[in-house]
Amino acid sequence: MHFNFFRQQNSKKSNLGDGLYPSLSQFPLLDAAINEAQANIQAPRGLIQNAALTAISVVLQGLVDVRKPNSQVAPTSLMLLAIADSGERKSTVENVFLKPIRAFQAKQCEEVRESQLVWKIKYDTWMVRRNGVLKAITKKASKGLPVDEEEKVLLALEKEAPAKPKEFKVLYEDSTSEALFHGMYENLSTAGLISSEGGGVLEGRAFNDLSKQNAIWSGDSITIDRKTAESFELVGARLTVSLMVQESVFSKYMAHKGGESRGSGLWARFLICRPASTQGTRYISSQAPSWHHQTQFASRLEHFLEAGLVCFRENKKEKQVIRFDSEAARLWVEVANDIESRICAGGILDGLGDHGSKLVEVISRLAALLHCFEGFDGDISMSTLQAAIDLAKWYSDEFIKLFGRNSKEKDEEQELNCWLDSIRMTGKRFVKKNYILQCGPGRFRKKSVLEHVLLRLVNHGAVQFFNCPGDKTIYIDLCPWQGGVQVMPGSSRGTNFLGSLGI
């Protein structure tokens, strides 16, 4: 039977009115921790699910890779994005699942601090010796005397330079790309870029170089060129990215950089969700909440962090490679082929080829992470893969809602209205339609495209158009809600503007 990835998958309805979510019941440790957090925090389940997967990805990505049935080996790092407005308890959810990682990291940083103090004394002493040799070289060279002996001493001294103790730093929060990549080069090459208020990351410099974000997700080496410091290459690094952003922040980012980020394939790599709000249903109970399952979840995270610390101290770079058993491999191939067939014209992934091309990779990563975190023996089984497929299907549905063909019109409206906002902010209320054609965003400099988008903005009350007696120029009122403008009879019916639309 031909596998249908987009059929209705095995889902369950949460008890907080959050809609249908994939069942994780065969992963008892993960499922219990998510259910417990949802009952206690009463945040949208999508936020909780993202936070749990973030924690798992952070602690396992440096230990395991996954070998796909096509023989390619891939990292297990995830990129996750949750879109939720203020008041949805984003920070609380993130802290519950990442607190064990932060605590482990803080403990290791405290232990290395004394080593760094010792290193600083040795380094300062070494610098005094080095400067002394350089001073001797300068003095002799100024007199034209040979400095062969001093150069030998300097070369030997360079080899004696004390190495700075490395930190077991796992999490970077609201970090710039420069600080992130340099930190991964100097210290632990496995990290998580985390933000429960991801606007700072999206609008900051961490996402400026999309090609490097994409390369590190794929497991490729990246070179960081710097003008004021030594350049370096990051090899074998692993990075989990997890952002929670407000709707308005994400819309603003997409209006300004959405085309570039979609074109680069960045969002195709993300597990994205926009869960329904639980506000209005979060009733307080007199019963004290239990965190028993979260304690077990934290213990499991610490187990992998300890393993990662051993590898870090021994400078062990090689990762365990997780494979699929024969049944799971056959199912994987069916899924990959089914997804590929949906990218064609008229398919559910028509226009979303970037997402479709990365989907089976994401499924592989999820399957490996779930298999390892739950402590399953042997290779990835068919049942684990099926659960990973269900989970990826849920995220795929969310992606299609956000970026599918129906969202294209919304993206166009947001982009044009955002550009019009820049005019509104100057205090101008009226602008000629031809001005937008000449100076507006590139894709709206085609008359037919602009007119359709403007008409939709009119229907939403964002703008209005009019002309004046004896003047055929079409004007756009950028603030129609302020009132006071008389739209001339016939100006909204019969002008070239609307006539071209058949209205």
Side-chain angles (χ1 to χ4, degrees), residues 221-334:
S221 301
I222 59 174
T223 300
I224 311 297
D225 296 315
R226 302 193 294 176
K227 293 181 180 179
T228 58
E230 185 180 356
S231 299
F232 60 89
E233 185 179 20
L234 201 53
V235 180
R238 297 291 185 264
L239 178 65
T240 294
V241 179
S242 183
L243 310 176
M244 297 183 184
V245 299
Q246 294 187 27
E247 176 84 40
S248 59
V249 173
F250 184 72
S251 296
K252 182 179 178 182
Y253 174 84
M254 291 304 297
H256 286 288
K257 298 182 180 179
E260 181 184 358
S261 58
R262 276 299 306 281
S264 73
L266 176 70
W267 294 123
R269 292 165 165 81
F270 270 78
L271 295 172
I272 299 178
C273 68
R274 183 165 51 181
S277 173
T278 56
Q279 294 187 49
T281 65
R282 305 180 304 194
Y283 300 111
I284 299 174
S285 171
S286 59
Q287 185 177 357
S290 168
W291 290 103
H292 169 71
H293 296 297
Q294 193 57 233
T295 301
Q296 292 181 318
F297 187 89
S299 178
R300 190 68 173 155
L301 292 178
E302 289 164 4
H303 166 77
F304 291 116
L305 286 168
E306 289 286 356
L309 181 60
V310 171
C311 293
F312 174 66
R313 287 173 173 170
E314 297 178 356
N315 198 29
K316 183 181 177 182
K317 304 291 185 181
E318 188 178 350
K319 298 172 181 62
Q320 181 184 359
V321 178
I322 308 300
R323 295 170 171 80
F324 294 85
D325 69 20
S326 57
E327 283 189 335
R330 284 194 293 272
L331 176 60
W332 186 95
V333 171
E334 288 186 26

Side-chain angles (χ1 to χ4, degrees), residues 59-112:
V59 300
L60 275 171
Q61 62 181 350
L63 299 173
V64 299
D65 286 340
V66 58
R67 183 180 294 279
K68 298 177 286 186
N70 61 3
S71 297
Q72 293 177 348
V73 176
T76 53
S77 309
L78 298 179
M79 288 182 165
L80 305 105
L81 171 72
I83 304 170
D85 285 332
S86 179
E88 296 296 348
R89 301 176 176 173
K90 298 189 291 293
S91 298
T92 303
V93 168
E94 181 201 80
N95 188 57
V96 164
F97 285 92
L98 297 187
K99 184 178 179 180
I101 302 176
R102 291 192 176 106
F104 190 91
Q105 174 177 282
K107 181 182 177 182
Q108 301 311 315
C109 289
E110 185 63 33
E111 290 180 0
V112 82

Side-chain angles (χ1 to χ4, degrees), residues 26-47:
Q26 74 177 85
F27 308 115
L29 185 56
L30 172 62
D31 193 45
I34 289 177
N35 291 338
E36 184 178 73
Q38 186 178 13
N40 292 342
I41 305 172
Q42 301 185 68
R45 189 177 180 89
L47 298 185

Side-chain angles (χ1 to χ4, degrees), residues 211-438:
S211 63
K212 286 184 173 57
Q213 292 285 347
N214 291 343
I216 202 167
W217 184 85
S218 300
D220 298 333
S221 301
I222 59 174
T223 300
I224 311 297
D225 296 315
R226 302 193 294 176
K227 293 181 180 179
T228 58
E230 185 180 356
S231 299
F232 60 89
E233 185 179 20
L234 201 53
V235 180
R238 297 291 185 264
L239 178 65
T240 294
V241 179
S242 183
L243 310 176
M244 297 183 184
V245 299
Q246 294 187 27
E247 176 84 40
S248 59
V249 173
F250 184 72
S251 296
K252 182 179 178 182
Y253 174 84
M254 291 304 297
H256 286 288
K257 298 182 180 179
E260 181 184 358
S261 58
R262 276 299 306 281
S264 73
L266 176 70
W267 294 123
R269 292 165 165 81
F270 270 78
L271 295 172
I272 299 178
C273 68
R274 183 165 51 181
S277 173
T278 56
Q279 294 187 49
T281 65
R282 305 180 304 194
Y283 300 111
I284 299 174
S285 171
S286 59
Q287 185 177 357
S290 168
W291 290 103
H292 169 71
H293 296 297
Q294 193 57 233
T295 301
Q296 292 181 318
F297 187 89
S299 178
R300 190 68 173 155
L301 292 178
E302 289 164 4
H303 166 77
F304 291 116
L305 286 168
E306 289 286 356
L309 181 60
V310 171
C311 293
F312 174 66
R313 287 173 173 170
E314 297 178 356
N315 198 29
K316 183 181 177 182
K317 304 291 185 181
E318 188 178 350
K319 298 172 181 62
Q320 181 184 359
V321 178
I322 308 300
R323 295 170 171 80
F324 294 85
D325 69 20
S326 57
E327 283 189 335
R330 284 194 293 272
L331 176 60
W332 186 95
V333 171
E334 288 186 26
V335 172
N337 289 335
D338 183 67
I339 291 172
E340 182 66 25
S341 72
R342 307 305 178 118
I343 300 175
C344 64
I348 193 170
L349 295 178
D350 183 11
L352 298 173
D354 57 336
H355 169 63
S357 66
K358 298 294 184 293
L359 197 49
V360 73
E361 169 96 354
V362 170
I363 291 171
S364 303
R365 296 180 184 216
L366 286 170
L369 290 173
L370 295 171
H371 174 85
C372 292
F373 188 75
E374 292 289 339
F376 296 155
D377 294 326
D379 298 331
I380 299 170
S381 68
M382 188 171 180
S383 60
T384 295
L385 175 58
Q386 183 61 66
I389 291 168
D390 293 345
L391 188 56
K393 164 65 166 58
W394 183 83
Y395 280 108
S396 181
D397 288 344
E398 293 285 294
F399 189 96
I400 292 169
K401 290 176 189 175
L402 196 62
F403 294 117
R405 288 207 173 275
N406 290 338
S407 70
K408 182 181 178 183
E409 293 184 353
K410 182 180 178 182
D411 291 342
E412 291 176 341
E413 293 164 21
Q414 288 177 340
E415 182 176 354
L416 181 56
N417 204 38
C418 185
W419 184 80
L420 294 176
D421 275 340
S422 66
I423 300 177
R424 293 183 182 106
M425 291 176 66
T426 66
K428 292 185 67 174
R429 179 173 174 180
F430 308 108
V431 64
K432 293 180 181 179
K433 186 191 76 171
N434 282 342
Y435 177 76
I436 304 176
L437 282 169
Q438 295 166 3

